């Protein structure tokens, strides 16, 4: 079962916006509105940032937003801050057999 | 505040069984969520291993299903993972987490525990 495809790296300067893509197939991202995004600072617990494509859990800043078009989902981080530097992983529900696929992760660098 | 914490041996020999426990605090495992295990091999992405409901109902990654056993102990408010016949490919950081919606979306994660498979 192939992972979802993410760019290995992304970067932006403080205050700028950056968008990270997550490409799947018609069996996962394109089929279900159950795309999630996680922020992971190495050595710490991953944090849920977006679920169901564009919903934010309580406490997540509205600088983080999600969207989806066809088989590709995107996470946009606006007004970049130093603490946003982390690894970001997407996931998608993939049906009752596979259940969930994760992306390979994108390392976001704040320049 | 929901907290989850993994525990177990950090070193397992090839062909043996990896055993981990996830202790849940600040929330009752009986409250109706699924609870899951996810792993991350060194330098690679995340991989879902499986999830369990408080009733004992489980789902597992098809690629690992034959080797995975997930169980729950509601009296101790924890759940456990056993992965049999391990090889070096099972070396990874193992995370436990609570599911938000039952669709394999995880809202509370542990910090993870590194398990190395080596003789």
């Amino acid at each position: 079962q192939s992972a979802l495809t993410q760019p290995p790296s992304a970067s932006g300067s403080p205050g700028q916006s950056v968008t990270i893509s997550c490409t799947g197939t018609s069996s996962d991202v394109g089929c279900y509105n159950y795309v999630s995004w996680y922020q992971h600072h190495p050595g710490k617990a991953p944090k849920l940032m977006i679920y169901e494509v564009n919903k934010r859990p309580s406490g997540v800043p509205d600088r983080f937003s999600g969207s989806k078009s066809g088989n590709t989902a995107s996470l946009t981080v606006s007004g970049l801050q130093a603490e946003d530097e982390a690894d970001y992983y997407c996931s998608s529900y993939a049906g009752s057999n596979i259940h969930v696929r994760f992306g390979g992760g994108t390392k976001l660098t704040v320049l | 505040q929901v907290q989850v914490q993994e525990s177990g041996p950090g070193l397992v020999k090839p062909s043996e069984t990896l055993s981990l426990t996830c202790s849940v605090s600040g929330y009752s495992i009986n409250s109706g969520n699924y609870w899951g295990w996810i792993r991350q091999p060194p330098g690679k992405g995340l991989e879902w291993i499986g999830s369990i409901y408080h009733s004992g109902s489980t789902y597992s990654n098809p690629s690992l299903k034959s080797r995975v056993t997930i169980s729950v102990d509601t009296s101790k408010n924890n759940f456990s993972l056993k992965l049999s016949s391990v090889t070096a490919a099972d070396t990874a950081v193992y995370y436990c987490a609570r599911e938000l919606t039952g669709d394999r979306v995880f809202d509370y994660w542990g910090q993870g525990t590194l398990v190395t498979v080596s003789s």
Side-chain angles (χ1 to χ4, degrees):
Chain A
Q1 42 181 297
S2 301
L4 305 178
T5 300
Q6 296 181 236
S9 64
S11 62
S13 298
Q16 289 186 334
S17 294
V18 64
T19 297
I20 299 171
S21 63
C22 170
T23 301
T25 70
S26 57
S27 298
D28 40 58
V29 175
C31 187
Y32 303 98
N33 287 324
Y34 290 113
V35 176
S36 304
W37 290 90
Y38 301 90
Q39 178 190 66
H40 187 208
H41 291 101
K44 295 193 173 183
K47 179 181 179 182
L48 178 65
M49 305 301 284
I50 296 287
Y51 68 101
E52 292 178 11
V53 177
N54 56 16
K55 296 181 181 179
R56 280 187 307 276
S58 174
V60 173
D62 59 6
R63 301 185 296 103
F64 291 85
S65 62
S67 62
K68 190 187 87 166
S69 178
N71 296 338
T72 298
S74 298
L75 171 72
T76 297
V77 186
S78 305
L80 271 175
Q81 300 181 3
E83 59 262 35
D84 299 334
E85 184 163 296
D87 297 322
Y88 290 84
Y89 294 89
C90 63
S91 75
S92 173
Y93 185 70
S96 60
N97 184 37
I98 302 296
H99 287 270
V100 63
R101 288 194 174 98
F102 284 94
T106 297
K107 182 176 179 58
L108 174 60
T109 301
V110 180
L111 302 170
Chain B
Q1 174 77 353
V2 181
Q3 291 186 320
V4 292
Q5 179 68 55
E6 308 86 355
S7 61
L11 182 64
V12 181
K13 290 182 169 55
S15 80
E16 295 190 344
T17 296
L18 177 160
S19 296
L20 296 173
T21 296
C22 182
S23 299
V24 180
S25 59
Y27 191 83
S28 171
I29 234 174
N30 276 322
S31 294
N33 298 74
Y34 273 87
W35 303 84
W37 289 97
I38 306 99
R39 69 181 183 179
Q40 183 174 30
K44 295 187 178 181
L46 298 167
E47 179 182 36
W48 173 69
I49 300 170
S51 296
I52 189 165
Y53 197 56
H54 66 83
S55 63
S57 172
T58 59
Y59 296 103
S60 299
N61 187 322
S63 68
L64 299 169
K65 190 171 185 175
S66 63
R67 299 194 292 129
V68 167
T69 301
I70 299 175
S71 58
V72 63
D73 188 335
T74 55
S75 67
K76 294 182 179 178
N77 215 42
N78 66 30
F79 61 105
S80 299
L81 168 70
K82 291 187 186 300
L83 182 65
S84 64
S85 304
V86 297
T87 69
D90 295 308
T91 293
V93 175
Y94 285 76
Y95 297 95
C96 63
R98 188 187 80 165
E99 287 197 23
L100 173 64
T101 61
D103 295 306
R104 315 291 97 82
V105 177
F106 301 96
D107 60 348
Y108 287 97
W109 295 62
Q111 291 196 324
T113 186
L114 174 63
V115 179
T116 302
V117 179
S118 175
S119 56

